[in-house]
Amino acid sequence: GQQVQQSPASLVLQEGENAELQCNFSSTATQLQWFYQSPGGSLVSLLSNPSGTKHTGRLTSTTVTKERRSSLHISSSQTTDSGTYLCAIDHVGDNSKLIWGLGTSLVVNP
Amino acid sequence: EAAVTQSPRNKVAVTGGKVTLSCNQTNNHNNMYWYRQDTGHGLRLIHYSYGAGSTEKGDIPDGYKASRPSQENFSLILELATPSQTSVYFCASGDGWGSNERLFFGHGTKLSVL
């Protein structure tokens, strides 16, 4: 079945530095989403990017479908960006269900 | 802003007891989902629903039932709770289908089964 690997597992930055998060998946995906989980646990959808490049604010996601990978670039990181970033891909043949990665834990120090 | 509310926020239950986790959404979304999140695992889908009266099994449905009595409410029921069901449970509603669907999550319910 579909598997999702995220790297790095954790990342520590100084405020103002950029972050590059990776998501690799084992099978073709028609749906790929990035989520943010706050230190308190709440989850927020960041963007959906099954292919190509998408920007929203300081976030840029690039997905290369045939290489089964996606990246999330966070520019000019802020302390409030600290938290866990999760990648989710749809099930092979069932795009009503998502398979989730374990996430990248990001700490941005002042 | 879309709102998904879970109750309770924290719950301690005894083994063999019945637990009901509730979820209410004011988004008028058709799709609703129950996930659990455990260390070492990504979020795992337990049950989901396409609308009032419908429930579908997710990836790990064993030991759980779901109920969708209305568009707004989606409950997760543990008839006989076990310690292995200790976890953080998230409810979500979805506003579309496939790559167009955006999920809105509740704040989670931390369940401890002793």
Side-chain angles (χ1 to χ4, degrees):
Chain A
Q2 180 72 279
Q3 293 187 6
V4 181
Q5 302 289 338
Q6 290 189 246
S7 60
S10 61
L11 186 59
V12 180
L13 300 175
Q14 290 300 122
E15 196 166 27
E17 293 182 326
N18 299 329
E20 187 84 12
L21 313 179
Q22 301 291 336
C23 176
N24 292 277
F25 42 100
S26 57
S27 304
T28 303
T30 60
Q31 185 180 176
L32 187 145
Q33 298 190 41
W34 285 95
F35 293 82
Y36 167 75
Q37 186 166 30
S38 70
S42 59
L43 282 148
V44 175
S45 173
L46 293 175
L47 46 73
S48 173
N49 188 29
S51 66
T53 299
K54 232 178 195 180
H55 304 275
T56 180
R58 292 182 293 107
L59 303 178
T60 300
S61 173
T62 299
T63 300
V64 183
T65 309
K66 61 182 178 182
E67 295 182 12
R68 299 174 184 168
R69 61 178 174 85
S70 180
S71 64
L72 181 69
H73 181 88
I74 306 172
S75 63
S76 303
S77 62
Q78 301 173 0
T79 56
T80 52
D81 293 331
S82 297
T84 302
Y85 291 79
L86 300 169
C87 173
I89 315 291
D90 59 335
H91 256 280
V92 174
D94 184 355
N95 64 4
S96 65
K97 293 191 265 183
L98 294 176
I99 302 294
W100 296 71
L102 294 180
T104 292
S105 174
L106 175 65
V107 173
V108 181
N109 292 317
Chain B
E1 179 68 23
V4 179
T5 304
Q6 292 183 231
S7 62
R9 293 290 295 268
N10 292 280
K11 173 74 177 177
V12 179
V14 295
T15 298
K18 182 177 181 178
V19 177
T20 300
L21 307 183
S22 300
C23 179
N24 176 273
Q25 55 111 349
T26 58
N27 313 320
N28 197 33
H29 290 164
N30 288 330
N31 302 335
M32 294 187 76
Y33 305 86
W34 276 107
Y35 289 94
R36 64 180 282 178
Q37 187 175 37
D38 304 283
T39 304
H41 293 275
L43 269 78
R44 291 182 288 174
L45 182 63
I46 306 169
H47 284 287
Y48 60 105
S49 168
Y50 295 129
S54 102
T55 60
E56 306 288 337
K57 292 181 179 179
D59 296 318
I60 53 163
D62 292 347
Y64 303 93
K65 290 184 180 179
S67 174
R68 182 90 181 268
S70 64
Q71 180 81 338
E72 297 79 19
N73 295 296
F74 190 38
S75 298
L76 186 68
I77 303 150
L78 292 65
E79 294 278 5
L80 294 169
T82 68
S84 65
Q85 294 175 312
T86 293
S87 186
V88 180
Y89 292 85
F90 287 96
C91 175
S93 71
D95 64 357
W97 187 259
S99 61
N100 293 321
E101 179 165 71
R102 185 178 174 191
L103 295 180
F104 297 85
F105 282 86
H107 284 283
T109 294
K110 185 175 181 180
L111 173 65
S112 298
V113 182
L114 306 179

